[in-house]
Amino acid sequence: MRLPAAVRERVAAVHGGVGLPECLRLYDGWAACYEQDVEALEYRAPHLAAASLAFAFPAPPAEARLLDVACGTGLVARELHRRGFRCLHGVDGSSGMLERARSTGLYQELRQCVLGREPLPAPAGGFLCLTTRSNPSNLRYKAELEAVLEDLERQGAWQKVLVQEVERWEKATSEEESTQGTGYISGVVYVYRKCPVPPLEEG
Ligand SMILES: C[S@@+](CC[C@H](N)C(=O)[O-])C[C@H]1O[C@@H](n2cnc3c(N)ncnc32)[C@H](O)[C@@H]1O
């Protein structure tokens, strides 16, 4: 199925390698029709993120504390809720996307936070999940995200649980973005675990 031109244009705009403030502004404007557009893209990230978290979690889901990073409108929370996860926190840089996420009623807490510019709020003893695309125009942003995650690991705040590369993440909007002519782009799911705070030494 061919993508409608309006969808292709909106997706291409945020995929177009614009700077961060402009990108977040585009997401603000996209929030109202984001879910409808990503359905046309056959976007699988929320399902894949939830499946990775369900695999990574040893504890009963209802007690698991999760931070949904760059939560958007809350599609990941919807998938997690279906799988029994209840203690969901979310952050996103776009107020428009956060407003939609808030309207789902699925998050215990939502905060505006620009990754790489502001510290990540960390529910104690929890996990975080984050997804991003691996198409050519997103590689710089992906490298920046990975640098942020590596920094959190170096500081001893979070520990890597899994990084899963996935093919057929969503439909490509152009031939140049498509993985080896498949018509789709690939993406990555990151799951990290919050490190316990070491007890203060006495004396
Ligand atoms: C493709 S959407 C994914 C949203 C959601 N995780 C999903 O799967 O539907 C990307 C989200 O990342 C947010 N975002 C992009 N760059 C960000 C940054 N540097 N800090 C925080 N949020 C960011 C956007 O506002 C947008 O909501």
Side-chain angles (χ1 to χ4, degrees):
M1 185 191 77
R2 277 178 60 79
L3 287 172
V7 176
R8 188 185 301 274
E9 275 165 29
R10 285 192 286 269
V11 176
V14 290
H15 287 197
V18 291
L20 184 56
E22 173 64 5
C23 176
L24 294 176
R25 205 187 56 75
L26 287 170
Y27 273 112
D28 280 343
W30 195 17
C33 52
Y34 171 83
E35 293 189 4
Q36 182 189 314
D37 286 0
V38 298
E39 197 177 329
L41 282 180
E42 296 176 19
Y43 179 62
R44 296 199 302 141
H47 166 77
L48 295 164
S52 295
L53 276 159
F55 171 78
F57 254 106
E63 289 157 32
R65 299 162 72 96
L66 291 169
L67 181 64
D68 181 5
V69 179
C71 62
T73 57
L75 289 177
V76 174
R78 228 161 279 173
E79 289 281 342
L80 288 170
H81 208 259
R82 266 193 333 108
R83 290 169 184 266
F85 291 86
R86 293 290 180 266
C87 187
L88 305 175
H89 294 217
V91 290
D92 199 280
S94 152
S95 53
M97 296 296 264
L98 277 173
E99 205 176 302
R100 296 266 153 184
R102 195 158 285 121
S103 74
T104 67
L106 296 176
Y107 293 93
Q108 291 188 332
E109 199 176 319
L110 280 165
R111 274 204 226 165
Q112 189 159 13
C113 170
V114 179
L115 214 60
R117 307 280 195 277
E118 296 167 85
L120 209 52
F127 284 60
L128 72 72
C129 75
L130 173 60
T131 63
T132 199
R133 292 170 280 106
S134 307
N135 54 315
S137 67
N138 198 47
L139 290 180
R140 203 183 68 188
Y141 178 68
K142 177 171 173 274
E144 283 172 15
L145 274 187
E146 288 177 351
V148 170
L149 293 172
E150 278 162 24
D151 237 28
L152 292 173
E153 253 193 310
R154 238 191 320 273
Q155 293 160 16
W158 294 89
Q159 182 185 3
K160 190 186 295 167
V161 175
L162 66 86
V163 175
Q164 192 186 357
E165 301 271 347
V166 185
E167 288 174 7
R168 294 176 82 92
W169 186 260
E170 68 186 44
K171 279 187 174 177
T173 54
S174 70
E175 226 12 78
E176 304 81 67
E177 294 282 3
S178 148
T179 310
Q180 294 166 350
T182 56
Y184 288 81
I185 62 172
S186 53
V188 196
V189 180
Y190 305 88
V191 176
Y192 278 66
R193 182 198 312 265
K194 181 86 179 72
C195 295
V197 178
L200 288 174
E201 282 181 26
E202 287 184 24

